[in-house]
Amino acid sequence: MLRRIYLKEMKDSFRDRRTLFLIVLLPILMMSGLTFFYENMLNDDNGETYTLAVNQDADEEVLARLASYESVEIDKTSDPAKMVSDGDAVAAMIVSPDFMVRVNGGEKADVTLMGDSFSQKSSSLLTIVTNELTSLEKEVTAQRLEAEGTDISLIQPFTINQEELSEDISVNMLALLVPLILSIAIGIGASPSAVEFFAGEKEKKTMEALLMTPVNRSTLVMAKWLAISSLSTLMGFITLLVMMVEITLFTEKLKSAISFGENLYLIAGLSLIVILVYAVFNSSLLMITSIMGKTVKEAQSYYTPISMLAIFPGMIISSLGVNELEIHHFAIPILNLFSQMKELLFGIVDYQHLAITISSNLIVMLVIFVIGRILFMKDKWVLN
């Protein structure tokens, strides 16, 4: 009887066009947009040129240094600031015509830079200009020290070499957005069917007839929960599959960033397990909100704030390195989805963290399921 009810609910779900759209088309659209957006963002510096507005009588020696950059296009104008505000240039520089003469003569010389620090293009151009001016400053300082017979090591006693431990910025971005998209997709994919299984039955006045059948309530709630879990899991698997296929076939930067080598199949398999565990946990949340809701709209209003909780783990994880994750990050449901996927995307397989993630989700899922079953056994929660 459990199998028959389960199959009936699954057939009813796939007859619903909304469910088909959310399970099939939504993950394709979401992951396609995410994949191509970040691939394009990682490649946006290739062949990019930035227009730098300068005053017409700017020092030619300074401009010659900047002209050596292929990405910098210098545009002389009588009003550099206006050119930036009009959007014709991403940054501006005002430098006097006798700048190098004053510098070589030991006199004070100023350079004015103008740009928008919130603009990625403006920030990139300002970084190039600042670095070149800093290099010029060091050269002038070295020449002056040499003229005075002073060893340059007196003002530069050591050098700083910085090495980035993170393999690629694209992995960090994916580690934040992949679990966020997965959590949203899993919740949205099964939501229409979940609210129909309980709240919808009550709203349509068909729950009474269902309870009059010889099937006990425990079997009913178990069959409906299994159907919700199946839809959630299917949504998660399709979302992950779409992402893997598109990254492998249609991207270069992202593909090279998450190349796991011999661990590819292991990490893919573990990712599916993590998605499965999160899907059944989320299904319990969907089930209990549907049982509590007297109507479909009310059930949806109960689940909406719960689904928004997926935003906060992303904010927490984004500021942590993969080596800074601790036990509690894998013990808290929803947060552990982000933590575990971050480790897997970095190619790290920690079976202790996996065990904590799986067990904590299953324990909380079981508690929520038991509460839902208790509510379903009481007439005031299943009958309007």
Side-chain angles (χ1 to χ4, degrees):
M1 186 61 67
L2 175 67
R3 183 175 63 87
R4 290 181 179 179
I5 298 175
Y6 167 76
L7 293 177
K8 170 190 172 296
E9 298 292 5
M10 291 295 292
K11 289 179 181 178
D12 291 342
S13 297
F14 283 105
R15 289 193 186 105
D16 185 4
R17 292 182 179 180
R18 292 178 303 167
T19 303
L20 286 176
F21 172 79
L22 292 172
I23 291 180
V24 180
L25 292 180
L26 184 63
I28 295 176
L29 295 175
M30 292 175 69
M31 294 311 298
S32 297
L34 171 68
T35 301
F36 293 120
F37 171 76
Y38 277 94
E39 176 69 12
N40 181 68
M41 192 172 73
L42 291 170
N43 288 320
D44 62 0
D45 289 334
N46 295 339
E48 187 84 27
T49 58
Y50 308 108
T51 302
L52 176 66
V54 300
N55 52 305
Q56 291 181 338
D57 56 351
D59 192 294
E60 292 296 335
E61 187 173 345
V62 176
L63 298 184
R65 298 177 68 97
L66 295 173
S68 62
Y69 290 88
E70 294 182 358
S71 58
V72 178
E73 180 181 339
I74 298 174
D75 193 340
K76 293 184 178 181
T77 177
S78 58
D79 192 348
K82 185 177 185 301
M83 193 170 178
V84 174
S85 62
D86 291 342
D88 297 324
V90 296
M93 180 181 70
I94 299 177
V95 54
S96 61
D98 58 345
F99 178 82
M100 289 305 301
V101 175
R102 296 174 65 86
V103 169
N104 294 330
E107 300 178 25
K108 184 180 179 181
D110 297 320
V111 177
T112 302
L113 298 178
M114 291 173 284
D116 183 2
S117 59
F118 290 97
S119 168
Q120 183 178 356
K121 292 183 178 181
S122 183
S123 297
S124 299
L125 179 54
L126 289 176
T127 299
I128 293 174
V129 176
T130 303
N131 290 340
E132 189 58 40
L133 292 175
T134 302
S135 176
L136 175 60
E137 180 185 25
K138 290 182 178 180
E139 291 177 11
V140 173
T141 302
Q143 292 172 3
R144 291 180 179 178
L145 290 174
E146 186 179 358
E148 295 291 335
T150 305
D151 190 352
I152 192 175
S153 62
L154 291 176
I155 64 168
Q156 190 177 353
F158 60 86
T159 57
I160 300 175
N161 298 317
Q162 181 176 340
E163 296 182 4
E164 181 62 53
L165 293 177
S166 178
E167 294 182 6
D168 200 312
I169 187 174
S170 57
V171 183
N172 280 305
M173 290 190 294
L174 285 175
L176 170 64
L177 289 163
V178 168
L180 178 61
I181 296 298
L182 282 172
S183 60
I184 295 174
I186 289 172
I188 292 177
S191 178
S193 296
V195 296
E196 286 292 341
F197 288 169
F198 297 98
E201 296 272 16
K202 288 186 282 184
E203 187 175 3
K204 292 181 291 187
K205 306 296 183 181
T206 56
M207 183 63 77
E208 292 88 342
L210 185 63
L211 296 177
M212 292 177 62
T213 61
V215 182
N216 63 60
R217 295 192 182 188
S218 295
T219 302
L220 281 173
V221 72
M222 175 61 73
K224 290 177 179 291
W225 175 81
L226 285 175
I228 300 171
S229 299
S230 298
L231 294 172
S232 297
T233 303
L234 181 60
M235 184 72 174
F237 285 0
I238 292 176
T239 303
L240 184 64
L241 178 63
V242 170
M243 181 196 71
M244 293 177 63
V245 170
E246 291 187 342
I247 288 179
T248 302
L249 299 180
F250 304 112
T251 68
E252 295 181 4
K253 290 284 186 180
L254 294 179
K255 181 181 178 180
S256 61
I258 59 172
S259 178
F260 303 123
E262 297 179 355
N263 292 331
L264 174 61
Y265 296 107
L266 173 62
I267 291 175
L270 293 175
S271 298
L272 293 177
I273 294 175
V274 172
I275 291 174
L276 172 63
V277 172
Y278 178 78
V280 296
F281 158 75
N282 186 77
S283 299
S284 296
L285 292 175
L286 282 168
M287 181 190 74
I288 198 170
T289 54
S290 183
I291 293 175
M292 294 173 62
K294 294 181 180 180
T295 63
V296 170
K297 186 176 181 179
E298 184 178 344
Q300 290 173 337
S301 66
Y302 288 152
Y303 180 72
T304 299
I306 297 176
S307 64
M308 296 299 292
L309 292 176
I311 298 175
F312 298 101
M315 298 170 60
I316 297 172
I317 294 299
S318 63
S319 60
L320 295 176
V322 69
N323 59 330
E324 296 177 315
L325 297 175
E326 300 179 7
I327 297 298
H328 65 272
H329 292 118
F330 300 91
I332 303 175
I334 303 179
L335 178 61
N336 54 22
L337 171 67
F338 285 77
S339 303
Q340 194 60 70
M341 291 302 295
K342 185 166 188 172
E343 277 197 342
L344 293 175
L345 285 169
F346 273 91
I348 299 174
V349 178
D350 190 315
Y351 291 104
Q352 180 186 9
H353 291 167
L354 278 167
I356 295 172
T357 299
I358 294 172
S359 58
S360 62
N361 275 333
L362 291 179
I363 290 172
V364 176
M365 177 273 294
L366 182 61
V367 171
I368 297 174
F369 178 82
V370 171
I371 295 174
R373 180 185 175 278
I374 293 173
L375 294 178
F376 194 74
M377 299 297 289
K378 299 181 181 295
D379 287 345
K380 75 172 186 176
W381 291 107
V382 296
L383 300 175
N384 281 336

